[in-house]
Amino acid sequence: MLPITAIVFLLSITIAPLAPGTLVLFLFGAILLVAGMGLFTVGVDISMIPMGEGMGVEISRHKGPLLFVVAYFLLGVLTTVAEPDLQVLAEQVPAIENIVLILTVGVGVGIFLVLAALRIRKAIPLRRMLIIFYLLVFALAAAAPGNFIPVSFDSGGVTTGPITVPFIMALGLGIASTRSDANSASDSFGLVSLCSIGPILSVLILGIVYRPEETLYSSAQLPEVETTVDAARYFVSALPHYFQEVALSLLPIVALFVLFQLISRRFQGNQILKICAGLLYTYLGLVLFLCGVNVGFMPAGQFIGATVARSSQRWLLVPIGMLIGYYIVKAEPAVAVLTKQVEEVSNGSISHKSMGHALSIGVCVSVGLAMVRVLTGLNILWLLIPGYGVALALSFFVPPIFTGIAFDSGGVASGPMTATFLLPFAMGACTAVGGNLMTDAFGIVAMVAMTPLITIQTMGLASQIRHKLARRRLRYHMERVEDVMVYFN
């Protein structure tokens, strides 16, 4: 959090002066975010991951297709409709009722979680499914209303948030562990990527059916805070809302775990106590994290974006956005879960450090492109179609594990930090330049979800080339040694 805090502070005393109250809210939010991130990470390690992995193993052992399909469909729907980021997105699309949009996204995730689980079970190549479904996505996008396309792609990013990602990734590990072939570990990745496609398709279909004429966004009002006591009271007054929101988010997963435990008896006394403690850590961590970013970060992001865009040097939006994007992804709670799991599954060959660099570069580029869209009004499809085309083309040249990790990372990178700081940043800038919020500002989540697909696969391609060159050099030196041996013999 230190780099983001430093960047905002420097901007506040240079080109984007913040009101003291807004800056105090941001600093309070940063403190809550650090505390929440720590509790959440511990909680996920000792609760969500064992739960998801255990369910994946037990369900995959049953040969009957009905239980398999129904169980994964319900897991997908219930974990998605409770995702906090999805609730935020639904509030921004008044042309369609919240419950209709939320259920549409949930059904999309449920269907694709079944397909993703079947892919692991049947060892179907991830690349084949990605190509088929992304072709379908862009075919539907051609028929959907233009101002609804960014929202559709954003919905794929917000569904894979801090609640869904740890559970679904652990589920993939559990399903893959029931296979004994050499590719089972690499095939455990890909659930998040496929589950991100489902909402895009379902929301595009919804847009075609509803044909919404307007999808307006109302900017958040900057709170009036004069003293640090006012700031503290503002956070305290917001906490009950997040206690309730996170409780509702975790309740479906807890209910599923209780039902699963009653049926399978997989976990024993000490394990159950540990999981319960982990769920409590996860709950408290998410409450603090979401309160910190929503109350403290959203006003600062919106104000900074608007202030820079109103200046005579509005082009600075691009480098400032890129700098913020590079560091902000490090604060996404689900990113820590992904990088740790990647390092464990790859036995350290793909380090969390290299993954972090690749993700940061990807998000840096995506936010820069998003700011170009805000300034120019460039259609998002002019960036998404070539971007996904390059990402899918790279999948033919890199090891399958890098393709699975890359497409999973896109959904993971576009979490609550993107929704509560980068999106308001783009909204504030777009309003200041007089752009169309729905076509020019919305879509930043989709951009953040796209570029890591390219950077991580590029990292995999570079790693593959280095290994080939190293083997070639080794073979060359071995041949020279053999020649010397032959000469002396």
Side-chain angles (χ1 to χ4, degrees):
M1 276 308 300
L2 285 175
I4 288 294
T5 306
I7 290 168
V8 171
F9 180 74
L10 288 173
L11 288 173
S12 72
I13 60 174
T14 52
I15 62 174
L18 290 176
T22 305
L23 183 59
V24 169
L25 282 176
F26 177 83
L27 295 176
F28 276 31
I31 294 169
L32 285 180
L33 193 146
V34 171
M37 198 46 181
L39 287 170
F40 173 81
T41 305
V42 173
V44 164
D45 279 348
I46 62 178
S47 64
M48 303 285 278
I49 291 177
M51 285 165 52
E53 195 168 346
M55 288 185 186
V57 170
E58 293 295 330
I59 296 172
S60 297
R61 285 177 178 169
H62 287 80
K63 301 300 181 183
L66 182 62
L67 175 65
F68 185 89
V69 171
V70 172
Y72 285 119
F73 178 77
L74 287 176
L75 284 172
V77 173
L78 292 176
T79 55
T80 302
V81 297
E83 187 64 56
D85 293 352
L86 179 57
Q87 311 286 337
V88 174
L89 180 71
E91 290 291 336
Q92 318 310 321
V93 191
I96 296 176
E97 294 87 345
N98 286 11
I99 188 64
V100 173
L101 184 62
I102 290 169
L103 287 177
T104 301
V105 171
V107 169
V109 173
I111 292 171
F112 271 75
L113 182 58
V114 173
L115 294 174
L118 283 171
R119 180 197 75 82
I120 297 176
R121 198 171 183 177
K122 303 294 184 183
I124 301 171
L126 176 63
R127 179 178 63 220
R128 186 184 305 169
M129 297 187 75
L130 289 173
I131 291 172
I132 292 170
F133 288 122
Y134 273 114
L135 286 174
L136 182 58
V137 162
F138 288 112
L140 283 174
N147 64 345
F148 209 68
I149 292 172
V151 174
S152 302
F153 279 91
D154 279 357
S155 69
V158 299
T159 52
T160 48
I163 295 287
T164 312
V165 166
F167 190 78
I168 287 182
M169 291 191 70
L171 205 62
L173 278 175
I175 301 168
S177 68
T178 60
R179 286 169 41 191
S180 56
D181 58 287
N183 296 322
S184 61
S186 61
D187 278 349
S188 67
F189 296 101
L191 260 75
V192 173
S193 60
L194 288 173
C195 288
S196 297
I197 299 175
I200 302 174
L201 283 172
S202 60
V203 175
L204 282 172
I205 293 170
L206 185 67
I208 294 170
V209 173
Y210 265 68
R211 305 296 300 182
E213 295 181 359
E214 62 174 13
T215 45
L216 303 175
Y217 172 84
S218 56
S219 299
Q221 296 296 316
L222 294 178
E224 294 183 5
V225 177
E226 295 182 358
T227 67
T228 52
V229 174
D230 292 338
R233 286 174 180 161
Y234 197 73
F235 278 99
V236 170
S237 65
L239 274 174
H241 169 73
Y242 294 104
F243 273 114
Q244 181 181 2
E245 184 180 83
V246 177
L248 292 174
S249 299
L250 285 175
L251 190 59
I253 295 178
V254 174
L256 284 170
F257 171 70
V258 172
L259 181 63
F260 168 77
Q261 178 63 20
L262 290 173
I263 294 172
S264 68
R265 305 287 182 180
R266 178 179 176 86
F267 299 103
Q268 303 307 313
N270 289 336
Q271 292 174 307
I272 294 174
L273 288 175
K274 193 173 181 181
I275 287 173
C276 290
L279 285 171
L280 180 61
Y281 285 139
T282 304
Y283 174 67
L284 293 175
L286 271 178
V287 168
L288 296 178
F289 180 90
L290 291 174
C291 184
V293 294
N294 280 285
V295 177
F297 277 50
M298 193 176 285
Q302 182 179 313
F303 187 82
I304 290 172
T307 304
V308 176
R310 288 194 195 101
S311 70
S312 58
Q313 297 175 312
R314 59 177 58 173
W315 59 268
L316 284 174
L317 277 172
V318 178
I320 289 172
M322 293 179 73
L323 185 64
I324 292 172
Y326 183 88
Y327 287 106
I328 205 166
V329 72
K330 299 177 186 296
E332 287 287 4
V335 166
V337 178
L338 173 71
T339 54
K340 183 176 180 181
Q341 183 169 319
V342 167
E343 190 169 51
E344 289 175 355
V345 171
S346 65
N347 294 320
S349 62
I350 307 173
S351 69
H352 74 279
K353 189 175 181 180
S354 60
M355 272 286 296
H357 284 316
L359 279 170
S360 290
I361 292 169
V363 176
C364 167
V365 173
S366 66
V367 179
L369 292 173
M371 291 304 104
V372 170
R373 287 187 60 241
V374 167
L375 293 173
T376 63
L378 182 67
N379 189 312
I380 192 171
L381 290 179
W382 285 100
L383 298 173
L384 290 180
I385 292 175
Y388 278 104
V390 170
L392 291 170
L394 282 170
S395 69
F396 287 90
F397 302 99
V398 300
I401 189 171
F402 277 99
T403 299
I405 291 169
F407 278 84
D408 276 359
S409 68
V412 170
S414 51
M417 290 298 293
T418 302
T420 56
F421 189 85
L422 290 179
L423 184 56
F425 180 79
M427 294 290 179
C430 190
T431 303
V433 300
N436 184 322
L437 286 172
M438 291 305 300
T439 58
D440 301 341
F442 268 102
I444 190 170
V445 179
M447 294 298 300
V448 169
M450 180 193 72
T451 47
L453 316 185
I454 299 173
T455 55
I456 288 179
Q457 287 191 105
T458 302
M459 178 184 75
L461 184 61
S463 174
Q464 193 174 32
I465 292 171
R466 283 197 303 270
H467 288 156
K468 284 183 178 179
L469 291 175
R471 286 197 298 269
R472 190 175 299 174
R473 284 195 297 270
L474 180 61
R475 189 163 55 248
Y476 172 81
H477 289 303
M478 292 298 291
E479 289 172 354
R480 299 289 77 77
V481 170
E482 288 176 3
D483 290 343
V484 170
M485 295 296 290
V486 169
Y487 173 78
F488 283 105
N489 285 338

